[in-house]
Amino acid sequence: LCAIVGTAGIYELVTDKLILDEERRYSVAYHAVPNAWLLEAVQMTAGAALRWFKDEFGYEEQLRGKEVGKSAYALMDEKAAASPPGARGVIFHPFLQGERSPFVKPTARGIFYGIGLWTKKGDMIRAVMEGTAYAARDNIDLFRRKAEIKEVRLAGGGAQSDLWAQIIADVLNLEISIPNCVECGALGAAMEASVVAGVHENPVEAAENMVQVEKSFKPNKENAARYDKLFPLYRKLYETLWNFYDEAENVYSSLE
């Protein structure tokens, strides 16, 4: 399975047969490899949620980063790493632009639930990372009901954070491998071009020669068990708010 945690969250499972979803919760596309397909699900907001948090609440990290020669994201990782799995009770919903998968709800909105006087900034940063990982699992579980997933290849900005990659591995309870590339989409285009140019015979040969795994993250069993208990709370929270989303949208619209 390919997981791209960029601005949005894009999840694509390679299958050797056409597997449709009766409820149309995911789409299906042809793979570049003959006789293969991609099951596709896309969440509206993934890495953009962390970028939003940095832009609006990470001024401290941005200033400090310039002083010590680190990125604001690296400093945010350090704070999030000090927060335990579960972010001390904080759950984040990354519905900052509504949601399109695994459910369609334009009026859904992002929330932080569980904030207390004990909540630290690092807890909120970790909650953003975990909330995005929960949303990924919510989408990927659509595929798991249809086919076996053996490994996840992670790309996008989320792949630049070892902490985030480990959180995703723990939430999914799947091994995460990260290819040695920054712009994997550009690499994929180059692979296709290599086939057309005759450098490689087919996309499989191109992948074998041009794709290298840089590092992998295996799920921590203790953390995975903890997230298995927390994930249903993430889902129950948006199910509880389902009608409230529309009600709130109607009220705010009437005030404009």
Side-chain angles (χ1 to χ4, degrees), residues 73-92:
Y73 289 114
L75 296 178
M76 289 167 64
D77 272 7
E78 292 177 6
K79 288 188 175 180
S83 176
R88 293 192 179 92
V90 180
I91 298 174
F92 175 74

Side-chain angles (χ1 to χ4, degrees), residues 134 137 224-234:
Y134 290 146
R137 174 171 172 172
R226 189 182 182 102
Y227 285 128
D228 273 343
K229 294 179 180 179
L230 294 172
F231 176 64
L233 294 180
Y234 164 89

Side-chain angles (χ1 to χ4, degrees), residues 99-143:
E99 190 53 281
R100 59 180 285 186
S101 181
F103 57 84
V104 177
K105 195 70 171 178
T107 56
R109 293 294 176 263
I111 64 167
F112 284 100
Y113 169 82
I115 296 173
L117 292 175
W118 53 86
T119 302
K120 305 295 184 183
K121 189 174 185 178
D123 299 327
M124 299 183 72
I125 297 170
R126 187 180 187 100
V128 171
M129 294 178 166
E130 291 180 342
T132 302
Y134 290 146
R137 174 171 172 172
D138 217 6
N139 280 283
I140 293 170
D141 278 355
L142 297 176
F143 306 149

Side-chain angles (χ1 to χ4, degrees), residues 58-97:
Y59 190 57
E60 171 192 359
E61 288 75 24
Q62 293 179 59
L63 287 179
R64 180 62 177 161
K66 292 178 181 179
E67 293 176 0
V68 299
K70 288 186 176 181
S71 72
Y73 289 114
L75 296 178
M76 289 167 64
D77 272 7
E78 292 177 6
K79 288 188 175 180
S83 176
R88 293 192 179 92
V90 180
I91 298 174
F92 175 74
H93 280 172
F95 311 143
L96 303 185
Q97 301 182 91

Side-chain angles (χ1 to χ4, degrees), residues 6 22 31 39 58 66 74 93 98 132 136 138 149 152 154 167-168 172 211 213 217-218 229 243 250:
E22 298 77 10
H31 197 290
L39 312 187
K66 292 178 181 179
H93 280 172
T132 302
D138 217 6
I149 299 175
V152 176
L154 180 64
I167 288 173
I168 295 172
L172 297 180
V211 179
V213 172
F217 298 85
K218 294 184 178 180
K229 294 179 180 179
N243 293 327
N250 291 334

